[in-house]
Amino acid sequence: MSDADFDFVVIGGGSAGYAGARTACALGLRVAVIEGGEEVGGLCILRGCMPSKTLLESASRAESIRRASEFGLRAEWQGAVGPEIAARKRRLIGDFASYRKEQLATSNWEFIRGTAHFVDPHTVEVALCDGGTRRIVSRSFLIATGSEMNWVEVPGLKEVGAWTSDEVLASETIPQSVIVLGGGAIALEMASFYAGVGSAVTIIQRGTQLLKEVDAEVADALASALEKRGITVHRGTALAGVEKTTGGKAVHFFKGGDRLTVEAEEIVYALGRRPNVNGLALENAGVLTGRGAVIAGLSMQTTVPHIFAAGDVCGPYEVVHIAIQQAEAAARNAARHLQQSEEKQEHLDYTLKLFAVFTHPEVASVGLTEREAADLGIPFVTASYPFEDHGKSMVRGETDGFVKLIVASATGKIIGAAVIGPDASEIIHEVVVAMYFGATAAQLAQVPHYHPTLSEIWTYPAEALAEVSQR
């Protein structure tokens, strides 16, 4: 297409969009990035990973203050100051967002502020933020528009109102009590934040298991640990309705045949997100969707070969580092497609499917769960070790949880791992590295570990599984 304005147009300026644009520019493609949000930076920076972890850090420090006497210290818990927590969050996120905006606006591509929709497979029309429209013709595209809140119909909820994670992250108010609807990562992190800063918290989860991404024993251990911290957890429920009360807001639900009611000052709605495809007019380009998501293969190509997708808009995992990997691969594959290269398209490898939740205690996993390994027909064995019998965690007073390794019976290679406990999001990376290099449990057991450290806990299940590796 000699009349094309660009070689590669990215729709969406979040983490995936930026990564795709940067990679495409490095390959010599003519690139444009279209971003129509009121703020620039994407979900992770503005309303996801970074602001939520900032709040959770305040909650963690609050817990330490309340537990000071356990360590022979004298400190008095005087409460959390919502405006000051919010101000710290705004300051940090403002710095992150400003840096990303500068990267987008000053890099070697054209940065276009507006919302785009497809006119045909090679053309988008952009409603510009400062008024007017612009038509853009490109040889290829990357759809990286992320996700949006998925609202489930609950009688009375719309009238009564609820906070989403956006309102939680923006609020300067700390309610005395909250009801969290949902049992996924966002719901549980919000619950941990409010419990940490002193709110009474109730979680109402539809399914019987928190965190569908992990095995049941990990999820059950998390539920027990949250309850130990004073959080009330209801699982296996069906929401019946929401209403205002003199004391705040009430949620009615069924559990085990009983109709129950919980009342709190505020409701936090966290029943999931969905791919943000609204307004893209994908049908004009011939791009198909399935279950609301853009259909994309392992090459990140959609059903139209020159149109690619990355991140939450296509899945299958809503994790920022995977979105970045997808976008970078999409850009390289777009270059191959445009050059009609004989080189094979690059395919994403989700073997190191890394997942972490920043609750207290934290949860993290990599690779296959036991359930996934069984579904794939892979014979496996596992071994676990509890933090309550581990020196460093005992010293820290953080003994809830355990680590677990999963190895293939035939080879002894590590195919998965999970941890619930202190700094789980950090120590999981030891197994990530081991799996990246195809290590067996026996090889991991041979790696020297400094004592006392949290990381050395992996040596215990590794040693237990070493005989399998040495067959």
Side-chain angles (χ1 to χ4, degrees):
M1 296 182 63
S2 59
D3 59 340
D5 302 306
F6 299 98
D7 298 315
F8 190 72
V9 167
V10 179
I11 305 174
S15 297
Y18 173 75
R22 178 189 58 199
T23 304
C25 265
L27 294 170
L29 301 184
R30 296 172 299 157
V31 177
V33 177
I34 303 170
E35 169 57 51
E38 291 183 14
E39 298 177 280
V40 175
L43 178 65
C44 178
I45 291 176
L46 297 174
R47 301 183 303 281
C49 315
M50 301 309 294
S52 64
K53 305 314 171 281
T54 303
L55 297 189
L56 285 163
E57 190 61 35
S58 293
S60 176
R61 303 302 174 96
E63 295 236 3
S64 295
I65 293 170
R66 288 198 294 271
R67 295 182 59 191
S69 61
E70 293 180 33
F71 300 88
L73 304 175
R74 296 293 176 266
E76 183 180 351
W77 169 246
Q78 298 182 6
V81 183
E84 294 180 15
I85 293 175
R88 179 175 185 268
K89 186 268 300 182
R90 285 195 298 270
R91 184 174 65 253
L92 288 170
I93 302 313
D95 288 343
F96 297 144
S98 295
Y99 181 59
R100 175 53 53 82
K101 184 176 181 179
E102 181 182 358
Q103 288 177 311
L104 286 165
T106 61
S107 293
N108 230 5
W109 57 69
E110 184 172 351
F111 183 48
I112 302 167
R113 296 287 282 117
T115 57
H117 72 268
F118 282 95
V119 176
D120 61 48
H122 283 282
T123 308
V124 293
E125 185 172 271
V126 184
L128 300 171
C129 290
D130 57 3
T133 61
R134 176 179 172 183
R135 284 208 169 195
I136 295 173
V137 178
S138 180
R139 298 172 66 203
S140 66
F141 292 89
L142 173 64
I143 302 169
T145 48
S147 62
E148 61 183 0
M149 189 62 61
N150 181 38
W151 286 97
V152 176
E153 187 64 34
V154 179
L157 181 63
K158 184 177 180 180
E159 293 76 15
V160 173
W163 285 356
T164 67
S165 57
D166 289 354
E167 284 76 36
V168 171
L169 295 172
S171 177
E172 295 188 351
T173 301
I174 299 174
Q176 290 187 345
S177 56
V178 295
I179 300 168
V180 179
L181 303 181
I186 295 173
L188 299 182
E189 289 184 356
M190 294 298 96
S192 285
F193 164 66
Y194 280 121
V197 295
S199 302
V201 178
T202 300
I203 296 170
I204 302 178
Q205 158 70 349
R206 291 173 294 179
T208 57
Q209 176 179 320
L210 303 177
L211 293 180
K212 66 180 185 299
E213 295 87 351
V214 299
D215 281 318
E217 63 178 323
V218 178
D220 289 344
L222 177 60
S224 296
L226 294 177
E227 290 172 334
K228 183 178 176 181
R229 292 179 61 217
I231 298 174
T232 301
V233 181
H234 293 284
R235 293 176 284 172
T237 70
L239 294 174
V242 175
E243 66 176 353
K244 283 191 176 181
T245 66
T246 55
K249 302 176 181 180
V251 176
H252 308 289
F253 60 98
F254 293 98
K255 179 181 178 182
D258 296 325
R259 182 183 171 96
L260 304 176
T261 297
V262 177
E263 186 175 336
E265 184 178 336
E266 192 53 75
I267 297 171
V268 175
Y269 179 94
L271 293 176
R273 300 180 67 85
R274 65 186 179 193
N276 183 17
V277 298
N278 289 330
L280 287 174
L282 296 174
E283 65 278 5
N284 293 341
V287 174
L288 299 182
T289 61
R291 296 185 177 180
V294 173
I295 296 173
L298 292 176
S299 67
M300 307 320 300
Q301 282 177 303
T302 68
T303 50
V304 179
H306 68 274
I307 301 178
F308 296 77
D312 292 359
V313 76
C314 61
Y317 307 108
E318 297 177 6
V319 184
V320 68
H321 75 274
I322 291 178
I324 290 170
Q325 289 177 320
Q326 290 174 332
E328 292 172 342
R332 291 189 288 267
N333 285 337
R336 294 183 180 100
H337 178 79
L338 296 178
Q339 296 161 4
Q340 297 183 336
S341 171
E342 294 183 1
E343 186 180 1
K344 289 184 177 180
Q345 292 273 294
E346 178 180 339
H347 283 192
L348 264 289
D349 181 356
Y350 296 120
T351 301
L352 299 177
K353 178 167 56 69
L354 185 58
F355 175 71
V357 186
F358 295 80
T359 45
H360 190 160
E362 293 182 352
V363 176
S365 64
V366 62
L368 298 176
T369 63
E370 289 189 40
R371 181 177 62 252
E372 290 168 337
D375 289 344
L376 291 170
I378 301 173
F380 64 88
V381 291
T382 71
S384 303
Y385 199 83
F387 279 106
E388 66 181 4
D389 191 42
H390 184 56
K392 185 58 181 288
S393 53
M394 294 168 70
V395 168
R396 289 182 51 168
E398 299 283 353
T399 56
D400 288 326
F402 59 90
V403 296
K404 177 176 71 171
L405 286 178
I406 307 172
V407 305
S409 301
T411 62
K413 285 180 64 173
I414 302 169
I415 59 173
V419 50
I420 170 172
D423 292 347
S425 63
E426 299 290 344
I427 68 173
I428 192 65
H429 288 86
E430 177 164 348
V431 185
V432 176
V433 173
M435 287 182 62
Y436 182 86
F437 289 104
T440 63
Q443 289 170 326
L444 177 58
Q446 292 171 358
V447 176
H449 286 72
Y450 203 85
H451 176 76
T453 60
L454 289 175
S455 295
E456 68 177 330
I457 194 172
W458 290 114
T459 62
Y460 301 115
E463 288 169 356
L465 294 168
E467 292 184 6
V468 176
S469 306
Q470 294 168 344
R471 288 178 183 172

